[in-house]
Amino acid sequence: MRHGEEMKQTPASNGEGIPKDFLCEAYLPRSKLAEFYLKLKSSSLEKVTKMLLEKKIVEIYGFQNLDLEKGEIIKGFLADISGSNEDARDIAESLKNINGVLEVKFSDNSLDGLIIDELFFPLMVGGERSFTLRVESFGAILKRLYEKFGTGAAVILYEMGLGMGESKFKSVVNKYHVDKQTAVKIILAERSAKGWCISQLEGYGKNGAVIVVRELFECLPFKNNQERPISHFFRGYLTGIFQQAYGKSVNVTEVECIAKGESFCKFIIQAVK
Ligand SMILES: [Zn+2]
């Protein structure tokens, strides 16, 4: 197999990733918590940041999205406002009075030091409507499926993955107008950004590829307690992607797996002649 260009190393590629905990909820007993939404002209960001600092407002979780065309920023955050002697309503009023701040909303609906985001919906990831599922919950779903349907579950999961992989490949090619190998790289890089796993393309040739995957959500719930590799969903997903990339049938085999005690999962992709 010809070895292609390696994926660029990301900070997370060493397997010691930096967690990304996005705005959802915060629990800080004995603190005064609040949530804010701001829409502002990007030129006003400095004034907003300065005011928050002056009022000793500490952002706990947040995000900031810039709309380049409009020159507007959407900013959302959960904050500890204990350091300020104002309540959330006063703070929101002061923010509104800053020149260039177009809209402010707030919530101070916290319960015994717990505040849950209630200003933002839906959850968008990369501009696409998404929802989250805990790895542990997905593990429980898998365990139940295997218990009830045995090898039938493996087939169902493989087929689910296959369908997703195929449509993902088509959508990436349509969206970014890239060649097939680049599309594969984008999809694998996105798996990390979306929390699936950290995957690395170890080799890419005309008739096959090798992918090393760390922390795969599908195998993590079975870590160290299987005799055989356990991935069927992700194996199907890779099959779907590479069948699209190669324009022919491929076989994907998981040859190493964290479920049987190895430190990563490894997939061999072979095009069928
Ligand atoms: Zn595995």
Side-chain angles (χ1 to χ4, degrees):
M1 187 179 300
R2 189 172 60 86
H3 280 255
E5 187 198 334
E6 288 219 333
M7 277 284 293
K8 271 197 199 106
Q9 288 274 331
T10 60
S13 298
N14 57 8
E16 296 160 10
I18 306 155
K20 174 165 66 184
D21 204 337
F22 60 73
L23 183 152
C24 175
E25 59 183 58
Y27 180 57
L28 273 184
R30 291 183 296 278
S31 289
K32 205 160 81 174
L33 300 172
E35 178 176 30
F36 294 92
Y37 150 81
L38 281 91
K39 185 159 94 173
L40 55 131
K41 288 278 164 207
S42 50
S43 51
S44 302
L45 183 63
E46 200 180 325
K47 278 177 272 177
V48 167
T49 310
K50 206 170 152 227
M51 177 178 285
L52 294 174
L53 273 172
E54 279 168 4
K55 292 185 184 294
K56 298 192 168 55
I57 291 155
V58 183
E59 295 183 34
I60 307 169
Y61 295 108
F63 68 90
Q64 192 168 296
N65 298 337
L66 169 67
D67 183 330
L68 264 176
E69 271 174 38
K70 292 185 188 163
E72 285 176 10
I73 288 173
I74 302 285
K75 184 174 165 66
F77 58 97
L78 293 169
D80 181 356
I81 58 169
S82 315
S84 163
N85 47 19
E86 294 174 51
D87 61 22
R89 182 174 302 276
D90 300 330
I91 295 165
E93 280 305 317
S94 310
L95 287 166
K96 262 182 215 166
N97 290 332
I98 296 176
N99 198 9
V101 172
L102 308 168
E103 199 178 357
V104 179
K105 285 181 183 167
F106 74 96
S107 155
D108 53 2
N109 195 10
S110 75
L111 211 85
D112 293 335
L114 172 68
I115 187 163
I116 299 173
D117 161 40
E118 52 186 43
L119 296 182
F120 300 99
F121 189 91
L123 171 65
M124 305 297 282
V125 179
E128 292 171 317
R129 171 86 162 79
S130 299
F131 75 102
T132 69
L133 183 63
R134 288 183 310 132
V135 170
E136 205 181 307
S137 304
F138 190 71
I141 292 173
L142 293 179
K143 282 171 188 166
R144 183 77 174 186
L145 272 177
Y146 285 122
E147 245 171 63
K148 290 278 172 188
F149 303 108
T151 51
V155 176
I156 292 167
L157 289 163
Y158 174 82
E159 289 296 331
M160 284 168 62
L162 184 69
M164 272 182 73
E166 276 180 4
S167 63
K168 182 71 202 180
F169 190 90
K170 288 177 191 162
S171 86
V172 165
V173 169
N174 281 333
K175 195 170 170 187
Y176 302 113
H177 309 288
V178 289
D179 64 72
K180 290 175 171 181
Q181 188 177 346
T182 307
V184 169
K185 289 181 177 177
I186 289 172
I187 293 167
L188 293 180
E190 260 192 8
R191 293 316 93 206
S192 156
K194 292 185 175 179
W196 286 33
C197 56
I198 302 163
S199 56
Q200 231 170 327
L201 195 57
E202 294 255 304
Y204 187 97
K206 272 200 307 230
N207 295 305
V210 179
I211 294 177
V212 168
V213 180
R214 287 169 212 280
E215 303 279 316
L216 180 59
F217 73 101
E218 185 186 9
C219 299
L220 271 177
F222 299 94
K223 202 169 182 178
N224 298 331
N225 68 14
Q226 299 289 309
E227 284 173 12
R228 281 187 286 181
I230 195 74
S231 169
H232 296 290
F233 174 80
F234 193 67
R235 190 171 66 81
Y237 189 76
L238 291 176
T239 308
I241 289 164
F242 280 92
Q243 285 189 165
Q244 290 294 313
Y246 289 144
K248 51 185 162 183
S249 294
V250 306
N251 284 328
V252 178
T253 318
E254 189 182 20
V255 292
E256 288 181 50
C257 184
I258 54 173
K260 59 186 192 82
E262 274 127 0
S263 52
F264 48 77
C265 300
K266 188 175 188 174
F267 295 88
I268 309 280
I269 294 108
Q270 287 168 301
V272 179
K273 277 169 195 160

